[in-house]
């Protein structure tokens, strides 16, 4: 049996979603851009999917632009926001964004933009005073995530948006981790642009959406076709769009049930904390997504934990350096100022509506022994270990 | 300031489905295919996984104060770096050899496997032999490591050195690599250490340097400096190569200078006569033929072929060239032979 607890990385395609998309991979292969009725029926399916996504977000169908993924949405949003107010050269974001935001910001810095990276505290939360202080009349864009992919910590987006609006800045939200997990109502929101990605809510990979508020001066990023009313050129990925529509419909129903996911998550969290000493929940004090928990197991390293879990058939993820191919620990946990004792040994478990109680129990059964084995090997097995850095001991106590 | 938009529910809102699916879903999708550690994440060798799941020689060594036995440990890394190794050695003092080795490792799969491998490699070795062990030996023992994990083997080699230095009373803190300009502040890596890694492992890219010594793996602000060190090393390698080429050229020239002075005409003719008489004629005579030297004009050697050798045109040619080759080798490379 495989226990899949890495749903913030990607989710399995829902069988109903798969069933909905299959005809568009076989007999219904028309191009929605064609004038004939064979293409037309496919075009109708796209519009139905647009309605389904709009409904999940409390948006209007015309505000939905289908694209390929979250990274495309984030890149497009930033460029669109800057194009809308070309005289403004300042961007505000946070230190814990996804690379699809951070890399673009770093790139823009080289092109003469200034970027403010807001810090987070030990719970992963923003200081709105710091945001206020960063804002100027020259701020073109405020871009923040809705919820953090590693810790699940939810930002107060409407408060952030209110501040952004007060300074005339565009407000973009990367909601890739939040859509389908928390209710979002764009009809009553300050959000101008919002990114979502299909494969995080049980649609297949390679489909995403950029929401663009009606009336926003949008400049397309991808040129060369009239698709999406000229706002995103490129042949429609029809099966994936239909799938995302169905996934959005199911997510809307699921929103009423996320309490169950939160209960399973809490069962996992409490169980681990109760049976394994020197364990902390990263971001535990902040409002969080119902499906995510990020736990720091002190004195051991994340990749080693993941390999031990993998042998038990459990898939999770780690913010540790070694798993990512780079050597620096998670920029999110680092920005939270966590001590190294926790930083390197943090594991993210992310659940979905398919997660069962039996799976959670399995993790609770195997995890204590895994931690014990690795701690037995570690030269740091308590905060008194002579070898620990001063900073760590100070932070940990 | 823009007010949040108030909007009545969109008329386009999709109607809720009439038969909502069961929750949690009663018909989960097909089961996942099985997971194998071998296919997970990094491409680790079987040996790495074996030593990770079943590490050998894990733990510490107690100093039981036995006669002729010393117990020491060496350590490298720190919790800040994300990996650290404490290597414990039990040394027989009279033979200067390692009786036992154990490890404590904080780190990833390959760090644990590298530590375990190291202890296996060094047991029974003398300290001098152990000091010759390189990180590559550790990686080889493991059937190889992914490039990005080479620093795990470097850590093993360094801990070994630290332990032996400590036993021999050499201050590890004063390891020369740790002195000098700091290049990577994130991991506390000095210029000297980076230069050594570049030279010893023939590193040519910044990524390789990061994989071997971690420098550059953090904030990345030292990457440009690492690049400079690589260019520097390549340039100095160039200098070494150029110097070597120069030395070879000089050697050649001096050999040429020492070459024998050209033969006088008389010496040349005498030598040709001698080779024909001693090395050519006996073979021809045995075959029923013969040759005699007619004249030497500059580099032209005129010979007269006799007997069987003189009768057929093709054999004449063959013989001419056979004689020419011999004379060129034995007397002067510029000689040509003509039969008259
Ligand atoms: S200084 Fe080298 S990575 Fe930060």
């Amino acid at each position: 049996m495989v226990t899949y607890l890495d749903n913030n990385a990607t989710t399995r395609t829902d069988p109903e979603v798969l069933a909905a998309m299959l005809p568009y991979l076989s007999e219904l292969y028309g191009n929605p851009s064609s004038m004939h009725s064979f293409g037309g029926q496919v075009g109708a399916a796209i519009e139905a999917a647009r309605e389904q996504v709009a409904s999940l977000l409390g948006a209007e169908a015309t505000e939905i632009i289908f694209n390929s993924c979250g990274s495309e949405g984030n890149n497009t949003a930033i460029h669109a926001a800057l194009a809308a107010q070309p005289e403004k050269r300042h961007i505000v974001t946070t230190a814990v964004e996804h690379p699809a935001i951070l890399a673009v910001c770093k790139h823009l810095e080289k092109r003469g933009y200034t970027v403010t990276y807001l810090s987070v505290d030990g719970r992963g939360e923003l200081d709105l005073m710091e945001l206020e202080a960063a804002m100027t009349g020259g701020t073109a864009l405020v871009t923040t995530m809705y919820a953090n992919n590693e810790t699940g910590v939810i930002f107060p987006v409407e408060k952030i948006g209110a501040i952004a609006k007060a300074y005339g800045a565009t407000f973009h939200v990367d909601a890739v981790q939040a859509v389908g997990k928390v209710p979002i109502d764009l009809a009553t929101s300050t959000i101008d642009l919002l990114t979502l990605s299909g494969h995080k809510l049980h649609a297949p990979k390679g489909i995403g959406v950029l929401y663009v508020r009606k009336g926003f001066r949008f400049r397309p990023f991808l040129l060369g076709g009239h698709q999406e009313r000229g706002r995103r050129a490129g042949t429609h990925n029809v099966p994936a769009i239909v799938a995302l529509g169905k996934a959005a419909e199911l997510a809307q129903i699921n929103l009423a049930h996320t309490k169950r996911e939160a209960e399973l998550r809490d069962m996992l969290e409490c169980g681990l904390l109760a049976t394994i000493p020197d364990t902390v929940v990263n971001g535990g004090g902040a409002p969080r997504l119902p499906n995510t928990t990020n736990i720091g197991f002190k004195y051991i390293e994340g990749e080693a934990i993941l390999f031990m879990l993998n042998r038990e058939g459990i898939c999770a993820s780690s913010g540790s350096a070694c798993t990512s191919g780079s050597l620096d620990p998670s920029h999110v946990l680092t920005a939270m100022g966590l001590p190294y004792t926790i930083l390197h040994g943090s594991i993210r478990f992310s659940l979905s509506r398919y997660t069962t109680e039996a799976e959670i129990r399995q993790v609770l059964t195997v995890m204590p022994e895994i931690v014990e084995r690795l701690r037995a090997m570690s030269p740091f097995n308590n905060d008194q270990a002579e070898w620990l850095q001063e900073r760590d001991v100070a932070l940990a106590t | 300031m823009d007010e949040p938009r108030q909007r009545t529910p969109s008329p386009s809102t999709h109607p809720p489905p009439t038969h909502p699916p069961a929750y949690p879903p009663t018909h989960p999708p097909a089961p996942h295919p099985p997971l194998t550690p071998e296919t997970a994440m990094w491409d680790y060798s079987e040996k790495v996984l074996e030593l990770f799941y079943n590490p050998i020689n894990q733990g510490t060594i107690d100093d039981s104060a036995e006669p002729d036995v010393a117990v020491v440990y060496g350590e490298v890394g720190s919790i800040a770096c994300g990996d650290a190794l404490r290597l414990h050695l039990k040394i027989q003092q009279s033979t200067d050899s390692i009786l036992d080795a154990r490890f404590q490792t904080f780190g990833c799969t390959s760090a644990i496997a590298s530590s375990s491998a190291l202890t296996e490699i060094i047991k029974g070795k003398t300290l001098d032999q152990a000091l010759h062990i390189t990180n590559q030996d550790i990686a080889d023992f493991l059937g190889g490591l992914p490039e990005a994990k080479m620093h795990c083997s470097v850590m093993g080699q360094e801990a070994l050195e630290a332990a032996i230095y400590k036993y021999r009373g050499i201050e590890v803190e004063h390891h020369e690599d740790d002195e000098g300009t700091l290049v990577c502040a994130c991991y506390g890596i000095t210029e000297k250490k980076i230069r050594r890694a570049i030279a010893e492992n023939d590193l040519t890219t910044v990524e390789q340097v990061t994989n071997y010594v971690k420098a550059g793996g953090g904030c990345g602000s030292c990457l440009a400096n690492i690049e400079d060190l690589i260019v520097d090393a390549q340039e100095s390698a160039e200098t070494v190569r150029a110097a070597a080429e120069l030395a070879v050229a000089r050697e050649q020239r001096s050999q040429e200078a020492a070459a024998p002075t050209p033969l006088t005409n008389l010496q040349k003719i005498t030598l040709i006569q001698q080779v024909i008489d001693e090395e050519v004629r006996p073979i021809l005579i045995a075959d029923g033929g013969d040759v005699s030297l007619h004249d030497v004009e500059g580099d032209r050697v005129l010979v007269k072929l006799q007997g069987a050798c003189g009768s057929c045109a093709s054999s004449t040619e063959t013989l001419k060239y056979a004689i020419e080759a011999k004379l060129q080798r034995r007397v002067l490379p510029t000689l040509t032979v003509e039969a008259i």
Side-chain angles (χ1 to χ4, degrees):
Chain A
M1 186 181 85
V2 170
T3 294
Y4 185 75
L5 294 173
D6 198 11
N7 288 283
N8 284 10
T10 196
T11 54
R12 73 189 312 166
T13 305
D14 188 292
E16 285 191 53
V17 168
L18 180 66
M21 78 187 284
L22 277 179
Y24 297 89
L25 284 165
S26 50
E27 66 267 30
L28 296 175
Y29 60 85
N31 189 329
S33 302
S34 304
M35 292 307 293
H36 45 68
S37 57
F38 191 60
Q41 59 183 339
V42 171
I46 290 181
E47 292 320 307
R50 204 184 298 282
E51 298 275 343
Q52 286 166 310
V53 173
S55 171
L56 173 65
L57 299 175
E60 289 181 18
T62 53
E63 295 174 317
I64 302 300
I65 303 177
F66 287 115
N67 60 18
S68 67
C69 63
S71 297
E72 186 190 323
N74 285 339
N75 274 260
T76 308
I78 294 176
H79 290 291
L82 299 180
Q85 303 194 75
E87 68 292 348
K88 296 185 175 182
R89 312 281 292 175
H90 178 227
I91 301 167
V92 175
T93 188
T94 81
V96 297
E97 296 301 307
H98 188 273
I101 294 288
L102 292 178
V104 183
C105 287
K106 292 264 180 262
H107 171 77
L108 288 167
E109 276 183 290
K110 291 195 196 116
R111 308 267 149 136
Y113 283 87
T114 45
V115 181
T116 304
Y117 301 90
L118 301 175
S119 61
V120 291
D121 63 15
R123 303 202 303 189
E125 293 191 287
L126 290 175
D127 176 359
L128 294 182
M129 305 277 278
E130 193 188 336
L131 169 64
E132 278 265 21
M135 296 299 298
T136 73
T139 306
L141 168 71
V142 174
T143 172
T144 70
M145 0 173 78
Y146 201 114
N148 187 267
N149 50 322
E150 291 191 30
T151 57
V153 169
I154 296 174
F155 282 158
V157 284
E158 290 311 327
K159 287 184 185 159
I160 297 169
I163 296 171
K165 297 284 112 186
Y167 288 85
T170 300
F171 183 36
H172 166 247
V173 170
D174 172 2
V176 163
Q177 290 296 343
V179 172
K181 295 172 193 162
V182 292
I184 293 175
D185 184 17
L186 292 171
T188 58
S189 169
T190 52
I191 297 171
D192 296 311
L193 302 162
L194 176 139
T195 306
L196 74 84
S197 172
H199 73 105
K200 309 284 185 179
L201 55 142
H202 301 283
K205 292 157 194 69
I207 181 69
V209 158
L210 177 64
Y211 156 89
V212 179
R213 181 171 56 80
K214 200 153 90 184
F216 182 81
R217 284 171 56 202
F218 184 80
R219 299 280 177 281
F221 186 50
L222 212 51
L223 305 168
H226 61 275
Q227 291 90 350
E228 299 298 286
R229 299 198 295 135
R231 294 175 301 174
R232 198 266 187 186
T235 306
H236 285 110
N237 182 357
V238 181
I241 290 172
V242 171
L244 177 56
K246 186 68 187 175
E249 181 193 311
L250 295 175
Q252 205 168 350
I253 299 162
N254 182 56
L255 275 173
H257 301 283
T258 48
K259 199 164 156 272
R260 181 186 154 271
E261 270 164 61
E263 281 166 5
L264 287 179
R265 189 266 316 265
D266 292 344
M267 174 182 157
L268 175 64
E269 218 167 80
C270 297
L272 291 175
L273 258 54
T275 52
I276 306 173
D278 291 322
T279 302
V280 292
V281 177
N282 299 321
R288 277 184 300 156
L289 294 174
N291 81 317
T292 310
T293 183
N294 189 308
I295 303 191
F297 300 92
K298 286 189 184 181
Y299 318 122
I300 52 179
E301 199 275 337
E303 190 214 87
I305 302 174
L306 283 192
F307 261 79
M308 293 272 186
L309 281 172
N310 190 68
R311 194 165 64 155
E312 304 290 341
I314 298 167
C315 304
S317 150
S318 149
S320 94
C322 276
T323 51
S324 59
S326 80
L327 297 160
D328 44 335
S330 143
H331 71 286
V332 175
L333 303 183
T334 307
M336 288 164 69
L338 298 181
Y340 290 119
T341 38
I342 296 171
L343 209 50
H344 291 287
S346 288
I347 299 289
R348 175 185 75 189
F349 298 98
S350 45
L351 290 60
S352 82
R353 59 177 176 261
Y354 288 108
T355 305
T356 64
E357 196 178 318
E359 290 175 326
I360 299 299
R361 290 205 183 286
Q362 189 207 356
V363 179
L364 290 174
T365 310
V366 303
M367 200 65 195
E369 203 216 306
I370 290 175
V371 174
E372 203 180 298
R373 281 190 65 172
L374 290 172
R375 281 195 183 149
M377 264 184 243
S378 172
F380 316 111
N381 35 31
N382 59 59
D383 284 339
Q384 274 67 55
E386 52 189 290
W387 225 14
L388 287 179
Q389 308 269 320
E390 268 171 36
R391 169 190 173 224
D392 262 57
V393 179
L395 282 167
T397 48
Chain B
M1 167 182 167
D2 282 3
E3 280 305 311
R5 290 165 306 147
Q6 295 296 333
R7 200 189 281 160
T8 46
S10 157
S12 60
T13 296
H14 206 74
T18 37
H19 297 295
Y23 189 88
T26 45
H27 298 296
H32 294 95
L35 276 188
T36 57
E38 292 73 24
T39 56
M41 299 173 277
W42 296 100
D43 190 11
Y44 284 137
S45 69
E46 260 172 52
K47 188 77 181 168
V48 169
L49 292 170
E50 181 197 317
L51 284 181
F52 169 66
Y53 289 126
N54 307 298
I56 310 169
N57 307 323
Q58 162 211 335
T60 59
I61 300 176
D62 288 334
D63 193 350
S64 54
E66 288 170 61
D68 193 28
V69 164
V71 171
V72 286
Y73 67 78
E75 54 196 20
V76 289
S78 76
I79 200 153
C81 291
D83 45 28
L85 163 60
R86 183 178 276 176
L87 176 72
H88 304 259
L89 298 181
K90 185 172 183 178
I91 296 164
Q92 184 166 52
Q93 291 172 298
S94 54
T95 58
D96 215 28
S97 60
I98 298 169
L99 295 176
D100 195 10
R102 287 174 187 275
F103 74 91
Q104 288 174 289
T105 297
F106 165 83
C108 62
T109 305
S110 55
I112 289 171
S114 294
S115 309
S116 199
L118 171 69
T119 54
E120 277 299 281
I121 295 172
I122 59 175
K123 269 205 261 182
K125 292 220 161 34
T126 67
L127 297 185
D128 285 337
Q129 286 168 340
L131 278 174
H132 280 106
I133 290 176
T134 64
N135 68 298
Q136 195 57 50
D137 294 330
I138 298 172
D140 290 346
F141 185 91
L142 290 168
L145 278 173
E147 270 258 303
K149 298 289 190 170
M150 283 306 284
H151 66 267
C152 296
S153 63
V154 173
M155 188 167 73
Q157 187 261 331
E158 288 180 349
L160 175 63
E161 214 173 77
I164 296 176
Y165 279 17
K166 195 169 180 183
Y167 170 69
R168 290 186 168 169
I170 304 166
E171 276 289 318
V172 237
E173 280 73 20
H174 293 145
H175 192 304
E176 56 163 20
D177 271 358
D178 297 332
E179 289 172 357
T181 334
L182 205 60
V183 173
C184 178
C186 288
Y187 290 107
I189 316 279
T190 59
E191 183 179 318
K192 240 179 192 162
K193 183 162 179 172
I194 295 173
R195 281 188 190 280
R196 190 161 86 139
I198 293 172
E200 282 182 356
N201 300 291
D202 268 337
L203 308 183
T204 54
T205 67
V206 177
E207 291 76 51
Q208 286 176 325
V209 171
T210 305
N211 292 339
Y212 276 75
V213 293
K214 290 186 120 182
C219 69
S221 59
C222 59
L223 294 174
N225 295 339
I226 297 174
E227 179 95 63
D228 288 349
L229 292 179
I230 292 173
V231 173
D232 220 47
Q234 280 166 345
E235 274 168 5
S236 65
E238 272 302 311
T239 320
V240 171
R241 213 172 301 135
E245 275 166 16
L246 201 66
V248 170
R250 266 201 213 111
E251 171 86 348
Q252 259 173 8
R253 250 180 279 133
S254 67
Q255 268 175 8
E256 277 164 21
T261 42
L263 300 169
T264 63
N265 248 350
L266 186 63
Q267 284 170 327
K268 184 160 72 182
I269 295 167
T270 316
L271 202 55
I272 291 170
Q273 186 69 65
Q274 188 186 335
V275 171
I276 288 178
D277 286 345
E278 291 173 10
E279 299 180 35
V280 179
R281 289 190 64 218
I283 300 168
L284 298 186
I285 291 166
D287 282 344
D290 204 352
V291 68
S292 63
L293 180 64
H294 176 71
D295 200 358
V296 177
E297 295 171 1
D299 278 352
R300 285 174 70 215
V301 181
L302 307 175
V303 296
K304 229 189 259 168
L305 292 165
Q306 290 147 357
C309 306
S311 54
C312 113
S314 71
S315 72
T316 309
E317 282 302 289
T318 317
L319 280 172
K320 171 183 119 64
Y321 287 116
I323 298 165
E324 188 175 276
K326 181 142 274 175
L327 290 176
Q328 283 176 347
R329 236 181 303 126
R330 302 286 283 108
V331 186
L332 206 66
T334 45
L335 294 180
T336 58
V337 173
E338 288 167 39
I340 53 163

